[in-house]
Amino acid sequence: MNSLISSNRSLMQDERNHSARVIFILLGFPEYPNLQMPLFLVFLTIYTISVLENLGLILIIRINPKLHNPMYFFVSHLSFVDFCYTCVNTPKLLEIMLTEDKTISKEGCLTQFFFGCTFVVAQTFMLAVMAYDRFVAVCNPLLYTTSMSPKLCALLVAGSYLWGGLCSSTLTHFLSQHSYCGPNIINHFCCEHSAILSISCSDTTISQFACLIICTFNEAFSLLIIIVSYVVIFVTVIKIPTKGALQKAFSTCAPHLTAISFCHGVILLLYCVLKSKSSLLLVKTATVFYSMVIPMLNPLIYSLRNKDVKDTIKKLIQMKLVSHSV
């Protein structure tokens, strides 16, 4: 008898927990109901290419001793961040475009936001660290290996990840404290901070203020490091009398400057320009570009101009062809 009562109590508790579970609905791209399958195929193609490129670049850097230097140590971690970030958002986007089920639990949504925010902040500071690396390489080439020691490189990368996790934990904590009364429909394809706040039925002032402080600090501080590094690089190169010094410095820094332009350009567009509801489609388009297209472009940016990377790719292809022919 006691066991039956205990079982009933447990069942009632499970039902109460289930009924209290908060569900969100991600609409994705309802603006184009007739283009869901073509968009799905486009996003799937970009996602597949991005995953293969980033994992491939990490593998190439690991197997080629010529790429075992600070710059490509940071590039490998940038590829890892890009791989992780695109894997956080894209699978859910593909799911809601392919199936009728567009739901996600509150816990799942906050988990997606936590990891997405972590990798965005880590990427921002990884690019700042890489700017510092280019500054040392151009301004102190003879002391480059000594200055950018393996220990310092590891600390800079670890710091980027830890700071990303700390910022994300803070924002996720505030989001978890809000009440969500329904209908909890998010007109987005991912759990972005402002999209989650838009469906909250409690006061979001503290969350908005925390997000403003964290985003402003991260963007301003990382851009300050980048700008100062490249201003000093430019001034140093201008003073070098050697012919072609400016061209060589530009060739060294061009991939990184391109990656910075894409990353910070989209961030500034999202948080400083596209704020009105009328630009919601542009916000989603910019988010797709940041979360899918940029991770696909970064490996190309850092590998197309590098002879060692291209040589390693050729050797891997030749080895594959030889293994198939045997």
Side-chain angles (χ1 to χ4, degrees):
M1 187 69 177
N2 289 336
S3 62
L4 181 60
I5 294 173
S6 177
S7 177
N8 288 335
R9 285 177 178 173
S10 178
L11 182 60
M12 291 172 62
Q13 183 66 38
D14 289 342
E15 288 176 350
R16 282 196 294 269
N17 290 340
H18 181 73
S19 63
R21 190 181 182 209
V22 179
I23 299 294
F24 297 159
I25 299 173
L26 295 172
L27 294 182
F29 288 88
E31 299 88 354
Y32 302 107
N34 298 324
L35 295 177
Q36 295 299 298
M37 185 53 66
L39 286 174
F40 169 82
L41 294 174
V42 170
F43 294 150
L44 178 62
T45 302
I46 295 173
Y47 175 60
T48 304
I49 294 172
S50 175
V51 168
L52 292 176
E53 281 182 347
N54 283 290
L55 292 180
L57 184 56
I58 293 171
L59 176 65
I60 287 168
I61 292 171
R62 286 184 65 87
I63 66 177
N64 190 342
K66 292 182 180 179
L67 299 176
H68 293 177
N69 57 55
M71 185 183 83
Y72 276 94
F73 173 76
F74 296 131
V75 168
S76 67
H77 279 277
L78 182 65
S79 288
F80 176 72
V81 168
D82 284 339
F83 165 75
C84 292
Y85 184 55
T86 195
C87 287
V88 167
N89 293 327
T90 311
K92 189 62 183 179
L93 168 61
L94 297 175
E95 179 189 339
I96 63 177
M97 297 194 74
L98 191 62
T99 66
E100 293 296 325
D101 184 13
K102 302 181 185 298
T103 61
I104 183 173
S105 66
K106 174 188 172 183
E107 294 76 16
C109 195
L110 292 181
T111 300
Q112 187 191 73
F113 170 77
F114 170 79
F115 285 106
C117 181
T118 298
F119 293 125
V120 167
V121 176
Q123 182 191 55
T124 302
F125 280 90
M126 203 78 70
L127 289 171
V129 167
M130 293 170 75
Y132 174 73
D133 171 72
R134 293 299 82 205
F135 155 73
V136 177
V138 174
C139 299
N140 297 292
L142 298 178
L143 299 175
Y144 177 60
T145 306
T146 306
S147 300
M148 299 302 293
S149 64
K151 183 178 180 180
L152 177 62
C153 292
L155 286 173
L156 291 172
V157 167
S160 298
Y161 287 124
L162 289 173
W163 180 246
L166 179 61
C167 293
S168 184
S169 297
T170 302
L171 295 178
T172 304
H173 169 73
F174 286 121
L175 287 175
S176 67
Q177 301 304 305
H178 293 305
S179 300
Y180 302 92
C181 311
N184 295 338
I185 297 175
I186 300 176
N187 191 2
H188 211 304
F189 64 86
C190 66
C191 295
E192 189 262 339
H193 189 268
S194 60
I196 299 174
L197 285 184
S198 68
I199 61 171
S200 173
C201 55
S202 54
D203 185 16
T204 61
T205 304
I206 295 177
S207 285
Q208 289 177 323
F209 183 70
C211 183
L212 176 65
I213 294 297
I214 289 173
C215 290
T216 302
F217 173 81
N218 288 341
E219 188 66 11
F221 189 66
S222 60
L223 277 178
L224 179 64
I225 295 172
I226 292 167
I227 291 169
V228 170
S229 296
Y230 277 105
V231 166
V232 176
I233 288 173
F234 180 76
V235 171
T236 302
V237 171
I238 289 296
K239 293 180 180 179
I240 298 175
T242 308
K243 187 178 180 180
L246 183 60
Q247 184 178 356
K248 184 178 179 182
F250 178 77
S251 178
T252 302
C253 300
H256 184 239
L257 285 170
T258 305
I260 288 170
S261 300
F262 282 139
C263 176
H264 286 278
V266 176
I267 288 176
L268 292 173
L269 181 69
L270 281 170
Y271 291 98
C272 299
V273 180
L274 302 176
K275 289 185 175 181
S276 65
K277 291 185 178 179
S278 61
S279 62
L280 187 57
L281 180 58
L282 288 175
V283 169
K284 288 191 278 190
T285 303
T287 306
V288 165
F289 187 81
Y290 188 90
S291 63
M292 296 177 63
V293 179
I294 289 180
M296 181 184 69
L297 293 177
N298 278 342
L300 297 176
I301 292 170
Y302 284 102
S303 62
L304 286 179
R305 294 171 60 90
N306 188 287
K307 184 177 180 297
D308 292 326
V309 172
K310 289 187 285 188
D311 288 344
T312 305
I313 294 173
K314 289 177 183 177
K315 288 179 181 178
L316 289 173
I317 294 173
Q318 289 172 356
M319 288 171 60
K320 193 73 174 175
L321 292 174
V322 169
S323 65
H324 277 295
S325 62
V326 173

